[in-house]
Amino acid sequence: MSEHTWTPSSWHALPAAQQPDWPDPADLDRVLKYVASLPPLVFAGEARNLTDQLARAARGEAFLLQAGDCAESFDEFSADSIRDKLKIILQMAVVLTYSAGVPIVKVGRIAGQFAKPRSSPTETIDGVELPSFRGHLVNAPGFTAAARTPDPERLLAAYHQSAATLNLLRAFTQGGFADLGRVHQWNREFVASSPAGQRYNEVAAGIDRALRFMAACGVDTESDPQLHQADLWTSHEALVLGYEEALTRQDSLTGEWYDCSAHMLWIGERTRQLDGAHMEFLSGVGNPIGCKLGPTATPEEALAICEKLNPGRVPGRLTLVIRMGADTITEGLRPILRAVTDAGHPVVWACDPMHGNTFTSESGHKTRHLEDILAEIGGFFDAHRAEGTWPGGVHIELTGGDVTECLGGSSEVLSGHLDTRYETVCDPRLNGRQSLDLAFRVAELLPKR
Ligand code: TRP
Ligand code: MN
């Protein structure tokens, strides 16, 4: 055990990967002080409730659906886009709940997912070198010096967009929009006309029948809030540590520190150095934490991460998000499952089938094929079946819209279509139809209770 004491700023003493080069440190400082004075976006008690929900996923009694944009955008910020993302997540959750018969813990990559790690700090086009785009939290994507210069005012804009997004999500999920009596209304036109959408309609009809059946049996379906409300928790990659620190607050009930920028935070594949600043920072907050594990991750590393982030072995505290790629997953994951399980560490095992399966199409688009994504999910379930562990969840990049960013699906997106509606500010996302295709596949793979 190290002798040091954790504080919200103790990460400053350690190397912090992927931090923006802010041009004016005094200006950054001024903004961060202001953010630190603003109200928290979530409350510590909510983060504890999510930990309890995730503990069920660690024990094999629930399944995590974590989904949303690769990166949220300041330009795509509207009630419609928030509502459409919520619709597809609710649709997927309904399909999974209905067929697996276990509760689905619904966590959005939303209301704060604004920062991106990059493979190189700069980008060169035609001999011009500029800082890389690091997400709307930091700079803008256009290839000009003005757009690419990190601007601390963006931290404030992100805070406010997160607050407004979260507010609308709370209103929708608690105020009647997520009511199981409205399952049909989440099926948008372009989804409903697809094979997956028609399959969805059958599930929705089954839910209608089940509700009528229960009411006919004398169950009071009107007054049970469980049928009329759903929880959608928020999450993002805790990347820009100054921002996360500014939103880290001490809970008055327990004295513990919580990063109140979201319910759940995760550490990316590029920032999970054991002696790095990100591990240090997140080790001290009480929120549920995720950590990505890529194809090079070893069982020893996985164990060390468990010890660092969850020394108390609290179920639900730690989710390991596996993103190995379709070819590596079955062989790569099994030794890790074994090592962590043998050591008695309770974790939620989640599969990110997106990031290990990205390639560039002939048309020059960064893309992913739904078949590769499903193959990685298949490998993930195989590994768990072989080791006797519970496949605890999936972590997906999607949007509610009718985009053409990923290939394949039951209404197939072909290479020549990619140009039609390629709208992402970062990685390619599944569209509404492909997301439903994926939900049905996961539903088939989930062990029946
Ligand atoms: N409250 C339950 C849940 O969140 C049931 C529920 C209500 C639900 N609305 C939902 C499930 C929408 C999925 C989607 O699981
Ligand atoms: Mn991504």
Side-chain angles (χ1 to χ4, degrees):
M1 279 276 111
S2 64
E3 287 300 313
H4 94 292
T5 25
W6 183 93
T7 70
S9 58
S10 54
W11 62 269
H12 288 269
L14 297 167
Q18 298 284 344
Q19 301 307 290
D21 232 332
W22 303 100
D24 179 353
D27 197 31
L28 173 68
D29 214 45
R30 174 186 63 77
V31 174
L32 288 178
K33 284 212 172 73
Y34 181 57
V35 173
S37 75
L38 295 172
L41 293 173
V42 306
F43 151 63
E46 294 181 294
R48 282 193 289 273
N49 288 341
L50 176 55
T51 302
D52 292 343
Q53 298 298 311
L54 290 169
R56 299 165 81 188
R59 286 195 298 264
E61 299 159 9
F63 189 77
L64 166 67
L65 172 63
Q66 190 168 13
D69 278 311
C70 177
E72 288 176 274
S73 161
F74 286 180
D75 308 323
E76 194 199 282
F77 174 36
S78 68
D80 285 359
S81 85
I82 296 165
R83 187 201 54 211
D84 292 345
K85 250 169 269 173
L86 178 62
K87 276 185 177 172
I88 188 64
I89 292 173
L90 291 176
Q91 280 192 289
M92 295 172 80
V94 150
V95 166
L96 291 166
T97 315
Y98 190 73
S99 70
V102 294
I104 305 301
V105 185
K106 300 169 271 297
V107 180
R109 292 175 61 111
I110 200 165
Q113 174 53 20
F114 290 108
K116 300 311 300 174
R118 302 316 307 243
S119 49
S120 162
T122 63
E123 185 181 356
T124 304
I125 300 181
D126 296 333
V128 182
E129 189 184 22
L130 290 174
S132 293
F133 173 56
R134 290 186 179 274
H136 282 191
L137 187 69
V138 175
N139 55 7
F143 196 73
T144 64
R148 292 290 175 91
T149 305
D151 176 3
E153 289 298 324
R154 289 180 164 269
L155 301 172
L156 260 183
Y159 170 89
H160 288 297
Q161 181 165 331
S162 300
T165 302
L166 184 52
N167 179 58
L168 192 61
L169 288 171
R170 290 189 197 275
F172 279 148
T173 52
Q174 308 303 315
F177 187 86
D179 193 319
L180 282 177
R182 299 178 69 147
V183 278
H184 294 281
Q185 292 163 35
W186 309 330
N187 207 8
R188 296 177 64 204
E189 195 71 16
F190 81 96
V191 179
S193 56
S194 72
Q198 277 155 24
R199 233 176 134 183
Y200 176 80
N201 274 332
E202 288 161 28
V203 169
I207 289 169
D208 280 345
R209 272 196 302 278
L211 289 174
R212 281 199 304 275
F213 175 74
M214 286 193 290
C217 292
V219 176
D220 183 0
T221 54
E222 285 300 307
S223 61
D224 189 343
Q226 276 300 341
L227 297 173
H228 308 293
Q229 298 176 354
D231 288 318
L232 180 74
W233 312 91
T234 62
S235 72
H236 61 259
E237 178 174 355
L239 187 68
V240 177
L241 291 174
Y243 178 79
E244 303 301 334
E245 177 187 342
L247 281 164
T248 296
R249 310 295 164 82
Q250 196 164 22
D251 175 32
S252 56
L253 293 175
T254 62
E256 260 197 292
W257 292 91
Y258 283 84
D259 182 345
C260 297
S261 69
H263 298 113
M264 180 180 186
L265 288 313
W266 76 84
I267 304 182
E269 171 73 358
R270 291 197 176 90
T271 51
R272 63 173 171 79
Q273 301 78 15
L274 278 165
D275 44 9
H278 293 81
M279 279 284 171
E280 166 66 15
F281 175 71
L282 285 172
S283 71
V285 298
N287 310 58
I289 301 300
C291 184
K292 297 274 188 114
L293 288 182
T296 62
T298 62
E300 294 71 36
E301 267 180 309
L303 264 184
I305 289 170
C306 292
E307 284 297 331
K308 174 91 191 167
L309 292 177
N310 193 17
R313 304 184 181 210
V314 178
R317 154 74 174 170
L318 180 61
T319 299
L320 291 178
V321 187
I322 312 298
R323 32 95 73 229
M324 296 196 157
D327 300 333
T328 320
I329 178 86
T330 321
E331 285 317 299
L333 179 54
R334 284 187 62 179
I336 294 178
L337 292 178
R338 212 171 306 143
V340 170
T341 310
D342 287 352
H345 268 287
V347 304
V348 179
W349 296 104
C351 173
D352 164 0
M354 315 298 294
H355 288 92
N357 298 305
T358 315
F359 63 95
T360 304
S361 71
E362 310 94 82
S363 53
H365 295 88
K366 194 176 176 190
T367 190
R368 296 159 172 162
H369 202 294
L370 184 61
E371 283 313 312
D372 298 334
I373 291 168
L374 297 179
E376 178 157 358
I377 294 178
F380 176 80
F381 276 84
D382 287 345
H384 283 283
R385 201 173 308 115
E387 295 298 328
T389 43
W390 174 251
V394 287
H395 182 122
I396 308 293
E397 289 184 347
L398 55 72
T399 171
D402 189 9
V403 299
T404 55
E405 299 171 6
C406 291
L407 299 167
S410 61
S411 314
E412 200 171 354
V413 175
L414 300 167
S415 188
H417 298 152
L418 288 176
D419 221 23
T420 329
R421 281 178 307 281
Y422 193 95
E423 297 168 4
T424 184
V425 289
C426 195
D427 290 340
R429 304 159 297 176
L430 298 178
N431 66 29
R433 286 185 294 253
Q434 293 166 328
S435 301
L436 258 197
D437 282 334
L438 182 145
F440 279 111
R441 177 67 68 88
V442 172
E444 283 159 9
L445 290 169
L446 266 170
K448 297 292 171 286
R449 289 268 121 183

